[in-house]
Amino acid sequence: MKVSDILRVKGSTLYTTTPEDTLADAAQLMAEKDIGSLVVISHGLVVGMLTFREVIQATVKNGGTFGTTTVYRAMDSGPLICTMETELDEVRRMMLERHARYMPVINNRMLMGVISFYDVAKTVVDSQNFENKMLKAYIRDWPEGEGGDAAAKV
């Protein structure tokens, strides 16, 4: 399974901010949209990622207020990224190694979407549930004369 499969199901709604925006404005957008991250875009390119983790860290560092802090001063300027062709197992490994909850999806320097650890976990569970259903249906429809008698003789 690939990242493109996740985005096809998830949809393509994207929320972004710029490095010059205030942290207060970015946090307000995250709260309004009930999202945990914003992709930071400058001149059409992804330059960073702002998640609730960076918002909290910057706020604590600033004495519990946003003050005049900009997104640039709080963002992760080296976020993990993947492409539409990245395999799901590779995404899981990268996210676990870096404790990343969100990952921008980039193709030819263009932002295609964002996948979250939740999206990855949901996809894995849905895939396992489908596989379990198929296996149970296969076992339920097992022909009488094939293998069933051999197991009984042992």
Side-chain angles (χ1 to χ4, degrees):
M1 189 167 288
K2 296 182 180 184
V3 168
S4 58
D5 299 318
I6 295 174
L7 285 183
R8 187 174 30 259
V9 172
K10 179 181 179 178
S12 59
T13 303
L14 283 171
Y15 295 101
T16 63
T17 188
T18 69
E20 298 80 26
D21 288 335
T22 66
L23 189 59
D25 287 342
Q28 183 171 348
L29 177 60
M30 291 168 76
E32 285 174 5
K33 301 299 182 184
D34 192 25
I35 55 174
S37 70
L38 293 170
V39 181
V40 185
I41 303 284
S42 181
H43 304 291
L45 298 175
V46 174
V47 295
M49 193 76 179
L50 183 72
T51 71
F52 58 86
R53 179 182 291 155
E54 287 81 30
V55 172
I56 291 169
Q57 288 172 343
T59 304
V60 168
K61 187 188 268 187
N62 200 39
T65 66
F66 292 122
T68 59
T69 305
T70 62
V71 167
Y72 176 77
R73 296 187 54 81
M75 72 182 193
D76 174 359
S77 59
L80 285 175
I81 61 168
C82 61
T83 70
M84 298 287 274
E85 296 302 310
T86 306
E87 292 288 335
L88 186 61
D89 286 340
E90 177 66 7
V91 170
R92 287 192 307 186
R93 185 192 62 72
M94 291 189 303
M95 289 180 125
L96 286 170
E97 278 181 6
R98 285 264 307 265
H99 298 270
R101 290 180 178 89
Y102 303 93
M103 188 182 293
V105 181
I106 313 272
N107 262 10
N108 297 323
R109 301 175 68 172
M110 185 173 159
L111 179 63
M112 305 302 290
V114 174
I115 58 171
S116 68
F117 198 77
Y118 171 84
D119 299 328
V120 173
K122 182 179 182 325
T123 301
V124 169
V125 168
D126 290 348
S127 176
Q128 288 173 343
N129 285 342
F130 176 74
E131 189 174 303
N132 285 342
K133 278 185 187 176
M134 297 306 290
L135 286 170
K136 287 177 182 176
Y138 178 74
I139 291 168
R140 191 174 39 250
D141 296 337
W142 191 277
E144 283 299 316
E146 295 183 30
D149 295 343
K153 291 178 185 175
V154 174

